[in-house]
């Protein structure tokens, strides 16, 4: 696997959804918006960069905890693995 360990800090974009696998394992899913920031020494201020939207999945006991304690708009931080996937779009490059 080519998973990348990472820490994400951002705000929850949507309400948490709880689902169950066919074997009965709970999975909580939600999205987090995270923006990069850098300090502009010339203007002596912080500048926001691009916003990245990340899908988060939590399993088992963590899923139950997340469903009970996380709501839309809430600031969160989390540690996990980043998995990326390629998406093919119709109509060529754009």
């Amino acid at each position: 696997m080519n998973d990348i360990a990472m820490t994400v800090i951002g705000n929850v974009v949507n309400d948490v959804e709880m689902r169950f696998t066919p074997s009965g394992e709970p999975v909580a899913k939600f999205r987090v918006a995270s923006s990069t920031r850098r300090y502009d020494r010339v203007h002596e201020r912080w500048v926001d960069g691009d916003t990245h939207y990340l899908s988060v999945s939590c399993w088992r006991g963590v899923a139950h905890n997340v469903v009970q304690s996380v709501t839309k708009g809430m600031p969160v931080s989390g540690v996990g693995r980043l998995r990326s996937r390629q998406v093919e779009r119709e109509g060529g490059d754009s």
Side-chain angles (χ1 to χ4, degrees):
M1 281 202 178
N2 293 327
D3 296 344
I4 300 169
M6 66 180 294
T7 301
V8 174
I9 300 169
N11 293 318
V12 178
V13 175
N14 61 316
D15 291 326
V16 178
E17 294 179 29
M18 175 74 97
R19 296 186 182 181
F20 294 89
T21 66
S23 64
E25 295 287 338
V27 182
K29 294 185 178 187
F30 60 98
R31 290 176 49 86
V32 174
S34 181
S35 297
T36 56
R37 295 190 92 196
R38 67 175 178 80
Y39 188 73
D40 183 348
R41 293 178 193 250
V42 174
H43 297 101
E44 297 182 347
R45 63 184 176 115
W46 286 96
V47 178
D48 288 329
D50 295 333
T51 300
H52 302 278
Y53 295 91
L54 303 163
S55 297
V56 177
S57 297
C58 303
W59 293 75
R60 300 177 189 87
V62 175
H64 287 294
N65 186 15
V66 165
V67 166
Q68 294 173 0
S69 60
V70 174
T71 58
K72 180 179 177 179
M74 184 178 219
V76 293
S77 65
V79 177
R81 295 181 310 225
L82 175 66
R83 290 187 181 169
S84 63
R85 45 182 187 224
Q86 290 183 324
V87 178
E88 292 185 27
R89 296 183 179 167
E90 294 181 25
D93 297 332
S94 55

